[in-house]
Amino acid sequence: MSQGQPRRDEVQDQLPEAITYGDIFNVSGSLAAQAITPQDAALMHSAETRALGKTLKEGAAAVMQAAAETNEWAGLVDSRAEDSVVGEQGVAVAEAHLLGMNVTTEYVAGQAIRSVICPALADYPTDVTIGEALEAAAMTAGDKPVELSDAVAVQAAERQATGTGEISKGGVASAAQSAADVNARLPYSMKTTLGDVLSTATEDLPVEKAVTAEDARRIKELEASHSATGEVNSGGVGDAMEAAARANEQGGIGSRP
């Protein structure tokens, strides 16, 4: 053992319980309490390679691998076990092309755990608007219950779209705030999701505008500042805005017909 490497008993003291899916991903049910194992990480690595021809640098497989290695080193999971939720229900990686963006969503036991959004200029001839980016978030993080950070991000998006600093009554931002308020008092299965609120964002916004880098920066900043983790939600509103802004910048915003 190298001088700087912690002993197994030290790791066990620092990590009394195994890292679970619920600790690092927004999941529910039995999966949330399931410890992440080396077999799980290996399954996701294989799924990414089959679907994408490579593993994602910041994808689910990398995150799961780090957690699994910690769990295994601490002696909190059995690397030979075969009775995990993942082993029974499997993993999947899906790609979608939407509104000038490529969306990769990764699933474990049927639940979306991570989404990556990248610009895809060739597929979309016009600038991506704020409403379209919100609808992209409805696809990538549609099952996520609306929380305060989501509502704040949607409010910021509507303000950036209108340029007035006001929130329209009955609009998408108002709906997101109401959902976040009510969700705080409801069980998980009854919560309103991002998909419920954002799926018709282009129709619900009073005006539309192309997403700029400043829009994305402002929205991501506010989302992160109201998140329990201090970070934006994977595949959520902030990520969608950033991908849209990159697509618009690379294509020369306002220059396409």
Side-chain angles (χ1 to χ4, degrees):
M1 178 182 297
S2 65
Q3 184 174 358
Q5 186 176 6
R7 297 196 312 271
R8 180 169 303 214
D9 57 350
E10 292 176 341
V11 175
Q12 289 175 322
D13 290 341
Q14 296 170 11
L15 190 73
E17 296 182 353
I19 300 171
T20 67
Y21 283 94
D23 291 330
I24 56 179
F25 299 118
N26 185 41
V27 295
S28 61
S30 59
L31 180 62
Q34 180 72 35
I36 300 174
T37 68
Q39 298 96 314
D40 299 346
L43 284 172
M44 185 57 79
H45 272 291
S46 296
E48 287 184 0
T49 301
R50 286 195 306 271
L52 309 173
K54 63 179 181 179
T55 56
L56 297 172
K57 183 179 180 181
E58 297 181 357
V63 176
M64 290 166 63
Q65 184 66 41
E69 288 177 353
T70 300
N71 285 343
E72 185 177 25
W73 173 249
L76 298 173
V77 296
D78 182 355
S79 62
R80 297 167 297 177
E82 298 179 354
D83 58 349
S84 73
V85 172
V86 175
E88 295 172 0
Q89 300 187 36
V91 302
V93 178
E95 280 193 294
H97 304 285
L98 173 72
L99 307 173
M101 291 172 274
N102 289 329
V103 179
T104 301
T105 305
E106 301 181 88
Y107 299 86
V108 170
Q111 297 190 48
I113 61 170
R114 202 165 184 85
S115 295
V116 179
I117 309 174
C118 299
L121 299 179
D123 295 336
Y124 201 62
T126 59
D127 293 319
V128 183
T129 67
I130 286 177
E132 290 168 339
L134 289 175
E135 290 185 1
M139 291 192 66
T140 58
D143 293 335
K144 180 186 182 299
V146 180
E147 301 174 347
L148 176 60
S149 60
D150 304 309
V152 169
V154 176
Q155 290 171 2
E158 184 170 312
R159 289 191 178 99
Q160 295 298 115
T162 62
T164 64
E166 300 293 329
I167 298 300
S168 61
K169 186 176 181 180
V172 65
S174 176
Q177 184 60 61
S178 296
D181 292 342
V182 174
N183 279 352
R185 303 189 296 272
L186 293 177
Y188 190 94
S189 62
M190 297 178 64
K191 293 179 186 290
T192 300
T193 66
L194 280 176
D196 296 329
V197 173
L198 301 180
S199 60
T200 59
T202 54
E203 300 173 13
D204 298 335
L205 281 175
V207 296
E208 273 284 33
K209 74 178 286 286
V211 184
T212 66
E214 177 57 26
D215 294 332
R217 183 198 65 76
R218 177 63 174 161
I219 292 165
K220 289 193 71 173
E221 181 181 85
L222 286 170
E223 181 179 330
S225 68
H226 288 80
S227 169
T229 63
E231 300 179 353
V232 297
N233 299 302
S234 175
V237 174
D239 277 357
M241 293 296 164
E242 182 177 53
R246 285 168 54 201
N248 289 344
E249 283 190 329
Q250 292 173 19
I253 188 166
S255 65
R256 288 174 285 176

